[in-house]
Amino acid sequence: MIEVKNLVKRYGTFSAVNNISFEAAPGEIVGLLGPNGAGKTTTMRILTGFMPPSEGSVKVEGFDVLENSMEVRRRVGYMPERVPVYLDMTVHGYLTFWAKLRGMKQPNTQVNQMLERFSLGDRRNKLVRSLSKGLRQRLGLAQALVHNPPVVILDEPTIGIDPQQVIEVRETVRALRENHTVLFSSHILSEVEQVCDRVIIIHKGKIMASGTPQQLAKKYKPGVHLYVSLSGRSQSEIRALLESLPKVDNVREQAAGFVLSSRTDADLRADVSSIIAKHQLTLLEMRLVEVTLEDIFLNIVDKR
Amino acid sequence: MRAIRLIMQRELAQYFSSPLAYLIAGAFLLLTGVTFYSDLNFSLGVRPVEPALIPNLLAQVMIVFAPLLTMRLLSEENREGTMELLLTAPVSDGNIVFGKFLSAWAYYTFILLLTLLYQFILVNIALPDISHTIAAYLGIWMYGGAALAVGLLFSATTENQILAAFMATIALLLLYYGDSLGRVVASADLAYILFNLTLQGHYAASFAIGAVRAEDIVYYAGLIVVALFIAIRVIESKRWR
């Protein structure tokens, strides 16, 4: 459980985080989405007890980060963006160190479980120095989870690793949902869309929008979008024909065709096929265009 | 306490697995060995052996060696970003600093114990003043702790190990030779005060001649406490940045 109320963090006169409030419940994966420098890392650092807030109250599992810092830190697993590691320790030694430092008396079973889960078992006695970036990322995740914390905070966990590993990391994060509250930051929109139950878009230290990816899609880019590519007449004639359709509100050129938008949820496909039949056009391609968080994000960020 | 022990254990393991620490231990033994040998030669005909020989040498050598032993401790955590993990673990800043300090002091104690070898040789071939030697070793042990604490303080301030070592060496040089200033001032009282503020003043005048004085022990312990306290504050201040 994470509760953030009116959080402000100032560095001198600059506000990195400017009055944001949100909550995350157990069993929920919340994505913090924003461009670099939006205040994601600062928010996370405050939640982990690394730095104190300038204003506002931040509670993790009911404990205030200022008043009960140690209780908060015991309950949080954190993977910083840089994935720091001790290069001169063995993989097993590294996990054991963090497990013990976070209060586990006999961490051996847990550590072995983690090594198993992140497929690091065959490297348990290797030095961390010898691990590739992707493996270090897995070790970083194992480090954040080894003490089985109720709250897991991951700062851009998929940066700088190859696509296969990105998929693995996403799957791992999704699997955490059952027993943990997960706060996950990224500036990759499709990722947040895939992984998170709820998205909080922040920009310049402020929350711009929040909700499920579907809710955001509905709110910030409502309606139906259809991509069609036709031939048989000149592009401008085709455009005019498409614009003449009553349900179509907007026609935009894209690649070799057009994107038709309708503010209502009307099905445009029937209308398009009637034009095709009437004017003897050839249909090259027709598909529904999914609204991506990218569109929403640009939409929101541009507006302000 | 548990956290201090864990951090200390980890750092000690690092000392014993890093080549630098072995190089330092090797240089330490070479230097003390050569000194011991030449003093032994000298003492054959000219004068009795010097009971505080090795500690006296270390009093100066530690100005360079203490920063080398401690430069890594906190600056590396700063540079690698692992400090962020340490500061978000349920461990107080004091525990972190204290654990690191104890590991350095333990390692120093280990190489100091290695030099006891010379004393065993000496006992077998001569009649050294053992109580004098013990006093000198106690003194240089405390002195070493203070020098390491100063080294650790500078390690906390930067991400750059070389810079940490350099600044700590300068600080220790000032602390050691600061009484030279006392020789150029006209007032004897002021010179006395300056002398008593220096590392040298609490070693050369007492432990080195076999005297154990409470004030000297308090001086070194005080220096350790002050240096560690400032180091903790330096780390705390990173949270506010």
Side-chain angles (χ1 to χ4, degrees):
Chain A
M1 184 76 183
I2 297 171
E3 296 156 272
V4 176
K5 266 191 211 127
N6 306 327
L7 172 65
V8 177
K9 176 70 189 179
R10 282 187 216 98
Y11 299 107
T13 53
F14 169 71
S15 296
V17 173
N18 199 350
N19 198 14
I20 71 172
S21 306
F22 67 91
E23 281 183 12
E28 194 177 31
I29 301 179
V30 173
L32 275 184
L33 179 64
N36 295 326
K40 303 187 296 279
T41 299
T42 303
T43 308
M44 289 184 152
R45 283 182 164 172
I46 292 168
L47 276 164
T48 54
F50 177 73
M51 49 168 67
S54 305
E55 268 175 43
S57 92
V58 177
K59 282 184 180 167
V60 174
E61 297 290 301
F63 293 100
D64 189 278
V65 287
L66 272 183
E67 282 157 26
N68 280 307
S69 182
M70 289 298 162
E71 295 300 322
V72 169
R73 294 192 224 168
R74 253 188 275 278
R75 285 165 176 78
V76 170
Y78 177 41
M79 182 167 99
E81 188 178 347
R82 284 174 62 193
V83 197
V85 286
Y86 290 123
L87 298 172
D88 291 320
M89 288 181 102
T90 63
V91 169
H92 184 268
Y94 180 76
L95 284 184
T96 307
F97 174 71
W98 287 115
K100 283 188 172 170
L101 203 61
R102 295 192 183 118
M104 293 184 78
K105 296 272 183 293
Q106 297 290 333
N108 220 356
T109 7
Q110 275 280 342
V111 167
N112 286 332
Q113 256 176 33
M114 283 296 143
L115 291 176
E116 202 62 33
R117 181 164 166 191
F118 290 98
S119 322
L120 289 164
D122 52 333
R123 291 171 214 261
R124 51 186 297 130
N125 294 321
K126 289 256 173 6
L127 287 183
V128 173
R129 182 182 294 284
S130 71
L131 299 187
S132 66
K133 172 95 176 128
L135 292 178
R136 284 184 200 183
Q137 203 91 4
R138 279 196 226 159
L139 186 62
L141 276 172
Q143 167 275 122
L145 299 173
V146 69
H147 55 304
N148 199 22
V151 174
V152 180
I153 295 179
L154 307 171
D155 196 356
E156 311 219 351
T158 56
I159 277 201
I161 53 177
D162 70 43
Q164 177 65 36
Q165 291 162 338
V166 169
I167 293 170
E168 283 169 20
V169 169
R170 284 178 195 163
E171 272 164 10
T172 309
V173 174
R174 262 202 300 256
L176 290 176
R177 181 188 295 150
E178 286 171 31
N179 308 309
H180 308 269
T181 309
V182 183
L183 189 67
F184 172 99
S185 83
S186 181
H187 62 247
I188 303 167
L189 303 129
S190 60
E191 177 168 289
V192 174
E193 209 166 5
Q194 284 173 35
V195 173
C196 301
D197 302 313
R198 207 147 55 77
V199 186
I200 295 168
I201 297 180
I202 58 177
H203 184 55
K204 293 185 178 162
K206 286 193 168 141
I207 293 184
M208 290 295 165
S210 76
T212 63
Q214 293 79 16
Q215 282 174 348
L216 289 180
K218 230 182 193 127
K219 189 166 169 198
Y220 290 95
K221 201 130 194 212
V224 175
H225 309 276
L226 189 72
Y227 174 82
V228 287
S229 180
L230 305 169
S231 74
R233 298 239 182 143
S234 74
Q235 289 296 86
S236 54
E237 280 175 304
I238 293 173
R239 186 185 185 117
L241 285 172
L242 292 173
E243 275 170 348
S244 69
L245 290 173
K247 287 177 196 157
V248 173
D249 296 312
N250 183 27
V251 176
R252 183 160 52 87
E253 239 183 287
Q254 192 180 65
F258 300 94
V259 175
L260 316 181
S261 302
S262 166
R263 255 178 253 118
T264 59
D265 284 346
D267 194 345
L268 301 172
R269 286 173 300 185
D271 298 10
V272 172
S273 48
S274 71
I275 294 185
I276 293 170
K278 203 164 142 195
H279 300 277
Q280 295 183 341
L281 300 172
T282 313
L283 177 63
L284 300 177
E285 191 181 350
M286 173 152 76
R287 61 182 156 83
L288 278 171
V289 179
E290 296 273 350
V291 181
T292 63
L293 269 175
E294 197 124 40
D295 301 324
I296 300 170
F297 186 74
L298 290 176
N299 200 343
I300 294 169
V301 171
D302 281 350
K303 256 188 215 161
R304 320 267 162 151
Chain B
M1 276 318 287
R2 194 163 168 273
I4 295 176
R5 205 187 68 231
L6 281 167
I7 289 171
M8 177 182 162
Q9 276 171 355
R10 200 194 78 79
E11 290 300 335
L12 263 183
Q14 296 272 289
Y15 272 125
F16 286 104
S17 65
S18 95
L20 182 69
Y22 284 100
L23 280 175
I24 291 173
F28 211 75
L29 287 181
L30 187 69
L31 207 62
T32 50
V34 167
T35 310
F36 176 69
Y37 176 74
S38 64
D39 188 70
L40 213 54
N41 267 343
F42 202 49
S43 68
L44 282 177
V46 186
R47 56 159 176 76
V49 288
E50 165 63 58
L53 175 74
I54 303 297
N56 287 353
L57 173 70
L58 290 184
Q60 289 179 29
V61 168
M62 278 308 279
I63 293 173
V64 178
F65 276 39
L68 286 178
L69 284 175
T70 54
M71 64 182 184
R72 219 198 77 250
L73 288 174
L74 288 162
S75 63
E76 196 173 63
E77 303 263 5
N78 287 336
R79 191 169 57 96
E80 296 294 327
T82 39
M83 189 61 102
E84 192 169 345
L85 284 179
L86 271 184
L87 293 182
T88 54
V91 183
S92 74
D93 300 355
N95 285 352
I96 297 171
V97 169
F98 209 58
K100 299 256 177 191
F101 169 69
L102 286 181
S103 75
W105 207 7
Y107 184 76
Y108 168 69
T109 308
F110 166 73
I111 40 183
L112 198 59
L113 288 177
L114 288 181
T115 67
L116 285 181
L117 183 69
Y118 308 127
Q119 311 307 328
F120 284 122
I121 296 172
L122 215 52
V123 170
N124 281 313
I125 58 172
L127 290 168
D129 183 350
I130 293 183
S131 56
H132 186 164
T133 306
I134 292 174
Y137 263 86
L138 174 69
I140 203 64
W141 182 66
M142 292 293 294
Y143 175 109
L148 292 167
V150 171
L152 185 64
L153 161 60
F154 284 98
S155 181
T157 57
T158 171
E159 295 186 356
N160 186 330
Q161 295 189 21
I162 309 291
L163 189 63
F166 185 71
M167 292 195 300
T169 306
I170 288 180
L172 287 174
L173 275 173
L174 287 175
L175 268 174
Y176 189 86
Y177 291 110
D179 71 306
S180 315
L181 206 63
R183 293 186 200 136
V184 294
V185 294
S187 156
D189 291 337
L190 185 60
Y192 180 73
I193 291 170
L194 282 173
F195 183 66
N196 274 305
L197 282 174
T198 59
L199 286 167
Q200 187 178 208
H202 289 274
Y203 176 78
S206 55
F207 291 117
I209 55 168
V212 177
R213 298 186 304 182
E215 60 188 88
D216 302 321
I217 292 176
V218 169
Y219 170 81
Y220 290 125
L223 198 57
I224 291 172
V225 169
V226 169
L228 294 188
F229 179 77
I230 300 173
I232 293 168
R233 285 294 131 114
V234 169
I235 289 183
E236 258 174 31
S237 76
K238 288 187 193 304
R239 293 179 184 277
W240 297 90
R241 259 177 247 153

